[in-house]
Amino acid sequence: MDPLISVVAPVYNEEALIREFHERVCATMDSLGEPWELILVDDGSGDETPALLDAIQGEDSDHVVVVHLARNFGHQLAITAGMDYARGEAVVTIDSDLQDPPEVIVDLVKQWREGYEVVYAVRAEREGETWFKLFTAGLFYRLIQRLTSVTIPMEAGDFRLLDRKALAYLRSMREHSRFVRAMTSWVGLRQSGVPYRRQARKAGETKYTVRKMVRLAIDAITGYSTLPLKLALWSGFVAAALGAVMAVVLTINRLGGTAPLAGQGFTASLVLFIGGVQMVMVGILGEYIGRIYDEVRQRPLYTVQEVRRKA
Ligand code: UDP
Ligand code: MG
């Protein structure tokens, strides 16, 4: 029987937690009394995770599908792969580190039954996060709201339910720089949120390094905003206006016989300033062009080593 609900979880070096995760998903999903599947996407783990996943799949082959990606592609691509393999009428994406309590899926499904096509789990509280994570996350969401045209519900992560209708649209979006939260918001349809308490990570450590977070932020901004490009135009206007004013001042000074505006130091600082602004703008252009280059190659989003599922 085809599953009604697919649960998709990205797994990257989670050997300490993955068994407990599977158990709690089982308990929750069984309580719903509908056919379900669990798609565990191994995102190129380097610890015991791959072997553990295969063992879990062997023991619970009625429910568990394991997709081994060929290397580490990152959280956003791992959930994309999982959604591609899902067969359910509704798909729930959830972190495998138990920060998103699987029990909340019951509430998501309830809202889905009421007719919502997208149901976000919204973090009403976060437990055990560092001040650095909270600060950068806050800054990030504020920046996204300001700079881009999409509205992402504040404090909604990648824990959500998608109806097959929303899923079909999301699957058709094959861009490489992916920020699934914004893509989901872009799809529209009837969206709703369910509050939950985000738990502290029980074991292991966050796989989101500062580098990965910065990458995600740049992806989100360049993907949904052309504001950085407009900066170049504005700074061009400002520099040109400054230049014009200075020319007038210099001319008046000269005609009035007073001393010239300033010496070489002043000239040098101007050259550095304008040069710097130009370099920054070229860099911003480069970010966009690099992304265009990434997209036009039309490579697959991820590569798969092996899929394990019941024959
Ligand atoms: N993850 C992944 N690939 C990565 C990094 C993370 O599949 O390159 C998974 C990880 O196993 C977890 C989820 O994505 O299930 C969220 O990652 P993490 O808990 O490290 O991020 P945080 O909750 O700290 O933002
Ligand atoms: Mg986590």
Side-chain angles (χ1 to χ4, degrees):
M1 196 172 17
D2 269 359
L4 182 77
I5 299 163
S6 304
V7 178
V8 166
V11 193
Y12 181 52
N13 294 347
E14 305 285 6
E15 57 185 4
L17 291 170
I18 195 64
R19 281 218 172 258
E20 187 184 345
F21 174 74
H22 170 247
E23 277 159 26
R24 278 173 62 182
V25 170
C26 278
T28 305
M29 297 311 289
D30 284 341
S31 77
L32 286 170
E34 304 278 6
W36 58 278
E37 66 177 353
L38 170 63
I39 300 182
L40 295 165
V41 183
D42 166 27
D43 190 14
S45 299
D47 61 356
E48 288 301 308
T49 302
L52 274 170
L53 291 179
D54 288 348
I56 293 171
Q57 199 278 331
E59 291 154 23
D60 186 15
S61 62
D62 280 342
H63 294 127
V64 178
V65 177
V66 173
V67 179
H68 291 285
L69 297 185
R71 62 171 171 84
N72 180 245
F73 279 92
H75 181 205
Q76 301 290 305
L77 284 168
I79 57 179
T80 303
M83 290 194 279
D84 288 344
Y85 281 91
R87 292 171 302 164
E89 296 284 315
V91 172
V92 176
T93 47
I94 180 171
D95 284 357
S96 60
D97 62 357
L98 293 172
Q99 281 197 279
D100 304 334
E103 294 71 27
V104 176
I105 296 176
V106 175
D107 302 326
L108 300 181
V109 170
K110 208 182 274 165
Q111 293 275 53
W112 174 54
R113 295 220 190 279
E114 282 171 19
Y116 292 99
E117 280 105 357
V118 176
V119 188
Y120 290 95
V122 182
R123 298 178 276 237
E125 259 174 75
R126 289 189 190 230
E127 285 175 4
E129 300 272 29
T130 60
W131 67 266
F132 179 73
K133 179 84 179 187
L134 293 178
F135 174 75
T136 49
L139 195 73
F140 174 66
Y141 280 99
R142 234 145 260 155
L143 205 68
I144 301 289
Q145 296 295 23
R146 274 282 164 90
L147 291 186
T148 70
S149 47
V150 290
T151 43
I152 308 167
M154 268 281 209
E155 294 298 324
D158 282 306
F159 185 13
R160 75 176 85 78
L161 177 146
L162 297 172
D163 178 72
R164 66 179 309 154
K165 196 167 169 187
L167 186 70
Y169 284 118
L170 219 61
R171 274 191 187 145
S172 70
M173 297 153 80
R174 303 312 281 178
E175 59 234 55
H176 285 246
S177 321
R178 296 179 88 76
F179 184 49
V180 180
R181 256 159 270 181
M183 293 164 68
T184 313
S185 152
W186 181 90
V187 166
L189 300 170
R190 277 163 295 186
Q191 309 207 348
S192 147
V194 170
Y196 78 106
R197 287 176 64 156
R198 185 156 164 96
Q199 311 289 308
R201 201 179 229 285
K202 278 218 179 141
E205 51 192 33
T206 174
K207 309 298 181 306
Y208 260 95
T209 55
V210 173
R211 223 175 107 181
K212 278 185 179 169
M213 286 199 286
V214 170
R215 176 88 153 281
L216 188 71
I218 298 179
D219 272 353
I221 292 165
T222 54
Y224 290 88
S225 168
T226 50
L227 193 79
L229 288 172
K230 290 175 190 142
L231 281 180
L233 193 65
W234 294 344
S235 48
F237 278 133
V238 171
L242 264 176
V245 170
M246 266 177 57
V248 173
V249 172
L250 284 175
T251 314
I252 293 173
N253 277 355
R254 185 79 190 167
L255 292 178
T258 41
L261 193 60
Q264 275 190 12
F266 185 66
T267 315
S269 72
L270 267 187
V271 169
L272 278 179
F273 175 71
I274 304 292
V277 169
Q278 280 179 346
M279 290 305 210
V280 169
M281 292 311 151
V282 170
I284 291 176
L285 266 183
E287 278 294 322
Y288 282 88
I289 293 175
R291 268 148 234 272
I292 296 170
Y293 183 47
D294 254 3
E295 302 299 342
V296 294
R297 275 188 296 208
Q298 298 217 340
R299 290 198 181 162
L301 290 178
Y302 52 84
T303 51
V304 174
Q305 179 83 47
E306 191 194 4
V307 178
R308 283 188 180 238
R309 64 170 9 141
K310 200 175 174 186

